[in-house]
Amino acid sequence: MPYEVQGVIARAKGQEVSLETVVVPDPGPGEAVVDVRACGVCHTDLHYREGGIGDDFPYLLGHEAAGVVEAVGEGVTDLEPGDFVILNWRAVCGQCRACLRGRPWYCFNTHNAKQKMTLKDGTELSAALGIGAFLEKTLVAAGQCTKVSAEAPAEVAGLLGCGVMAGLGAAVNTGAVTRGDSVAVIGCGGVGDAAVLGASLAGAAKIIAVDVDDRKLAWARDFGATHTVNSRENDPIAAIRDLTGGFGADVVIEAVGRPETYRQAFYARDLAGTVVLVGVPTPEMKLELPLLDVFGRGGALKSSWYGDCLPSRDFPMLIDLFLRNRLPLDKFVTETIALDQVEEAFGKMHRGEVLRSVVRL
């Protein structure tokens, strides 16, 4: 029988979210129903509410989640009820040209559940990033469930489902930070601080955190930044060069997603250095750079989708590091809240008051 549960809905662009009854169907072939235990409040959910990602309203928000498998559909052989899982929004297909070349983190055909969750009147919902986890139970493709140790608290484990994995992976996977590197991270919210943590985990010798907010810079130091730059008071390009012998950083990670901060990242890297864009721009943003500078500085300009992660590889490994006290994921959780406090959490996030508010169900 379908489940009737409470979920957070964005009905129209810019409108405050509401808590409403959602109908979750029984899982079909290749699908699973997950009893959501915790879900982080991510900027992407706010982008959905503001119409920055699309206009397929109403949206069922929430995607950065962990929970327990409630039921599985026909043909699902690697999951069973009771499994503790982190939800991911890029379930690889295994058949596209990227997967067949052994690069599944670039999968060109990721998939979601075939069935739609609905409101009680039958209105179909668009699930944020194919998940929709501000919800007591959610329907996903079985491939969106990654099994990890149930010893990890759900409010910590779920953060790997989006923001923390995006930032940490931008450093470790996309930027290929290694021991001895100099790294600069521009923008020190949840994703940026995860990039700082990833650079520290990889053995970077110097990690320079850049932001306009001293509170965020203090958070970055807590995650391993060796130096901080308040870019409201100082030229970040000059400051990063000064801290790297006049050369610039080996890897610069842009975690804001704006043309002006990308230009800072571009000119703050060393010759043949790497820029990684992990901040998400909006559709109307444009970037202009002298093509001669792109040619003359060499190196690599990369974007990082989901930290170029492979959930089946990365999630269990990172949870294991957390359980061995080598990866302080719990430091990202500023507060735990109820489902009916998501709108308030959006305000705190927008004002930079929290790293992560996490809905605990």
Side-chain angles (χ1 to χ4, degrees):
M1 295 290 290
Y3 307 86
E4 290 193 3
V5 293
Q6 293 296 294
V8 176
I9 307 298
R11 282 190 169 269
K13 180 178 179 178
Q15 182 176 305
E16 290 192 0
V17 300
S18 54
L19 190 61
E20 303 188 34
T21 299
V22 175
V23 179
V24 181
D26 287 327
E31 296 176 342
V33 169
V34 175
D35 182 10
V36 180
R37 299 295 171 83
C39 184
V41 180
C42 176
H43 269 98
T44 303
D45 294 303
L46 185 56
H47 284 324
Y48 271 108
R49 196 202 72 172
E50 295 302 302
I53 293 178
D55 58 0
D56 196 15
F57 292 93
Y59 284 110
L60 171 58
L61 300 183
H63 60 279
E64 194 177 73
V68 175
V69 175
E70 174 95 2
V72 298
E74 180 184 346
V76 177
T77 59
D78 55 350
L79 288 177
E80 60 183 29
D83 285 341
F84 181 64
V85 297
I86 299 172
L87 301 182
N88 71 79
W89 48 270
R90 285 181 61 77
V92 301
C93 72
Q95 299 298 319
C96 71
R97 59 193 186 280
C99 288
L100 293 176
R101 292 176 67 191
R103 302 172 183 173
W105 49 90
Y106 293 140
C107 179
F108 302 129
N109 193 31
T110 57
H111 55 279
N112 306 128
K114 296 288 194 298
Q115 301 181 87
K116 289 280 194 178
M117 292 177 278
T118 68
L119 297 175
K120 287 192 73 174
D121 64 5
T123 300
E124 291 188 345
L125 296 170
S126 301
L129 290 177
I131 293 178
F134 288 151
L135 188 66
E136 293 165 328
K137 300 181 192 294
T138 193
L139 177 77
V140 293
Q144 293 180 270
C145 299
T146 303
K147 289 188 284 189
V148 297
S149 172
E151 294 180 30
E155 57 266 30
V156 170
L159 298 182
L160 290 177
C162 189
V164 170
M165 188 68 252
L168 195 151
V172 175
N173 296 332
T174 315
V177 174
T178 191
R179 55 191 180 277
D181 279 349
S182 59
V183 179
V185 178
I186 299 176
C188 296
V191 173
D193 280 346
V196 168
L197 179 59
S200 178
L201 184 69
K206 187 169 290 184
I207 305 171
I208 305 162
V210 180
D211 204 285
V212 297
D213 187 336
D214 285 333
R215 173 174 45 192
K216 292 184 178 180
L217 294 174
W219 290 341
R221 280 196 177 274
D222 205 29
F223 285 105
T226 59
H227 300 78
T228 58
V229 175
N230 187 316
S231 55
R232 193 185 300 278
E233 301 169 357
N234 302 279
D235 176 358
I237 300 171
I240 292 169
R241 287 182 176 175
D242 286 346
L243 290 167
T244 53
F247 301 117
D250 296 311
V251 181
V252 184
I253 299 168
E254 201 279 79
V256 181
R258 296 191 60 83
E260 57 268 33
T261 44
Y262 189 89
R263 285 180 62 87
Q264 292 169 0
F266 180 82
Y267 286 109
R269 66 178 176 136
D270 197 358
L271 293 174
T274 299
V275 175
V276 177
L277 174 64
V278 66
V280 182
T282 54
E284 75 280 0
M285 290 180 179
K286 306 291 183 184
L287 176 69
E288 184 174 323
L289 289 170
L291 190 57
L292 184 60
D293 286 356
V294 176
F295 173 79
R297 297 183 66 80
L301 307 178
K302 298 182 174 183
S303 59
S304 183
W305 265 60
Y306 211 176
D308 286 342
C309 80
L310 184 60
S312 59
R313 175 196 65 193
D314 294 340
F315 291 1
M317 172 192 69
L318 295 171
I319 288 296
D320 180 61
L321 289 174
F322 166 74
L323 292 173
R324 288 159 49 195
N325 297 314
R326 293 183 57 195
L327 193 69
L329 298 175
D330 51 319
K331 288 185 179 180
F332 287 95
V333 182
T334 306
E335 63 174 1
T336 56
I337 62 173
L339 267 177
D340 61 2
Q341 295 176 294
V342 167
E343 185 66 39
E344 180 182 348
F346 281 152
K348 292 178 182 178
M349 179 177 62
H350 184 69
R351 294 189 296 272
E353 297 173 3
V354 294
L355 269 176
R356 268 300 184 267
S357 300
V358 179
V359 174
R360 186 158 56 189
L361 293 96

